[in-house]
Amino acid sequence: MQIIAIQAMPSLQKEGLPYWIFWFMLLIILLLLLFIFLRDRGLRLRLSAFLAGARRRSVIFQLKFRLKRERQKKGNILKRLGEKGWDSDIHLDGAENIRASLAALVKRRDADQMDANNALAELERLHKRLEESQAQTGEKLGGLRAEKQPFDEKLIILKEQKRALKKPTEKEESQHQATPLEEELKYVLRRVDRFERSIKELEAEAKDRHHELVREIHYWERKKRKAQERIKEIEGHQEELYLSFGRILEKKKVGNLDLRGLYAEIDLVNNRIATLQHRIQSLGGG
């Protein structure tokens, strides 16, 4: 009996609701929700308003982004207009202070540009000197080493010959007189030592000269960098003044042929800006 009960337990555990009943109930629930949604007009309106608001906010965001770009375009055109007006030497009421400031900036920029050009010329001259100095030093060292090489080789041979000779006793060494081999060995050693001293002196001189030239190069590089930084700062101030001058020229509508094309570009941008602003306001975007 116990065996029969154990065998029957798995079949009992497998019994339950079929899966299709679960999906059928879920479908019924979804249909009920849809039915409620269709009958509840307020719910439909709230959902529609939420979706419409999201779309409106997205459209407003895109329009504001486009408006920002158009304003940036107009600012660039106004800078070009102001620069062109300055180059054309146009004088206007209310712009004399701007013109005076631009004139002062141009003088400062020219002076700094001259400093930068002088520094660049000095750097080119120093780099050329450095290359020439290194080449001359290399040539001289090569010559000295070439002259020294035969003595180095001779020294090796003489040392080998001396080691091959029988070592004298203490008594013979006390009465020993220098042989031609030893005399030649001393002479070669002196010549090798002289060459080595000359090479070391030349290398030390070259090192000092290299350090001196490098210091000068660093000095002129700093001067050039500072001049370029000042020029960049001046150009930033010039752009601000060109923008201010361009705004005045936009209001005055000066009848200058050189400015006609820029005025046309500004009119187009102004129309686009006005259109975008109107669309944003109509959507309640402020």
Side-chain angles (χ1 to χ4, degrees):
M1 293 296 292
Q2 291 179 353
I3 295 172
I4 295 172
I6 292 171
Q7 291 177 348
M9 285 177 62
S11 62
L12 291 173
Q13 290 174 353
K14 291 180 180 178
E15 292 181 0
L17 291 175
Y19 284 112
W20 67 268
I21 294 179
F22 167 76
W23 292 110
F24 178 74
M25 296 297 293
L26 182 61
L27 179 60
I28 294 298
I29 293 170
L30 293 175
L31 290 173
L32 287 172
L33 291 174
L34 179 61
F35 180 74
I36 294 170
F37 174 75
L38 292 175
R39 286 182 58 84
D40 192 337
R41 186 168 180 273
L43 179 61
R44 292 201 310 274
L45 290 175
R46 286 195 298 271
L47 182 59
S48 178
F50 173 78
L51 295 175
R55 286 195 299 270
R56 185 173 62 255
R57 286 191 295 271
S58 176
V59 171
I60 290 172
F61 176 79
Q62 293 176 6
L63 291 173
K64 285 184 175 180
F65 179 73
R66 289 173 57 188
L67 179 62
K68 181 180 178 181
R69 285 197 307 176
E70 292 298 330
R71 284 171 173 166
Q72 289 174 345
K73 287 180 184 177
K74 181 179 178 180
N76 292 330
I77 298 171
L78 287 174
K79 288 177 185 177
R80 289 162 51 201
L81 181 66
E83 185 175 5
K84 192 72 175 177
W86 166 258
D87 293 337
S88 301
D89 197 27
I90 296 174
H91 293 263
L92 296 173
D93 293 336
E96 294 306 322
N97 291 336
I98 294 174
R99 289 188 56 84
S101 298
L102 280 170
L105 286 176
V106 168
K107 288 182 180 179
R108 283 174 52 194
R109 190 186 185 284
D110 290 344
D112 288 330
Q113 188 63 58
M114 185 176 294
D115 289 343
N117 292 339
N118 291 338
L120 183 61
E122 193 66 23
L123 283 169
E124 290 176 354
R125 185 184 67 82
L126 289 169
H127 280 294
K128 186 177 180 181
R129 276 185 58 192
L130 183 60
E131 291 175 1
E132 291 174 351
S133 174
Q134 290 173 339
Q136 290 174 0
T137 301
E139 186 178 349
K140 289 179 181 179
L141 286 173
L144 286 172
R145 289 182 178 124
E147 292 180 34
K148 177 175 174 284
Q149 185 175 357
F151 292 95
D152 289 333
E153 295 172 353
K154 185 68 174 176
L155 183 61
I156 293 171
I157 294 171
L158 292 174
K159 285 182 177 180
E160 290 293 333
Q161 290 176 354
K162 185 177 179 181
R163 278 196 295 270
L165 293 176
K166 183 181 178 182
K167 187 176 181 180
T169 62
E170 293 182 3
K171 182 178 180 181
E172 290 175 340
E173 192 171 353
S174 62
Q175 298 174 354
H176 177 70
Q177 293 182 351
T179 63
L181 175 62
E182 291 173 335
E183 290 292 339
E184 187 177 6
L185 182 59
K186 289 179 182 178
Y187 169 75
V188 172
L189 282 171
R190 286 196 300 271
R191 293 300 304 271
V192 170
D193 183 62
R194 192 179 305 160
F195 277 118
E196 287 180 350
R197 285 200 305 271
S198 299
I199 289 171
K200 288 181 180 178
E201 289 173 1
L202 183 58
E203 287 177 338
E205 290 174 3
K207 187 176 180 180
D208 292 340
R209 187 162 53 250
H210 177 82
H211 287 165
E212 181 181 352
L213 288 171
V214 168
R215 280 196 298 271
E216 289 190 56
I217 287 171
H218 288 165
Y219 168 77
W220 287 105
E221 281 178 343
R222 286 194 299 272
K223 287 204 70 171
K224 186 187 76 169
R225 185 171 59 252
K226 289 180 180 178
Q228 289 174 337
E229 289 173 356
R230 291 195 300 270
I231 290 170
K232 188 175 180 180
E233 183 180 356
I234 288 170
E235 287 175 346
H237 292 320
Q238 280 181 306
E239 286 191 357
E240 293 174 2
L241 291 171
Y242 286 146
L243 179 60
S244 300
F245 194 30
R247 284 171 179 158
I248 296 174
L249 287 167
E250 180 190 13
K251 294 177 182 177
K252 300 290 185 180
K253 291 290 184 182
V254 178
N256 188 297
L257 293 176
D258 295 334
L259 306 182
R260 185 176 296 175
L262 292 172
Y263 277 130
E265 289 184 43
I266 290 173
D267 290 338
L268 289 174
V269 173
N270 283 337
N271 290 335
R272 289 197 294 268
I273 289 174
T275 301
L276 290 170
Q277 288 175 333
H278 176 71
R279 291 183 63 187
I280 291 171
Q281 289 175 357
S282 65
L283 291 170

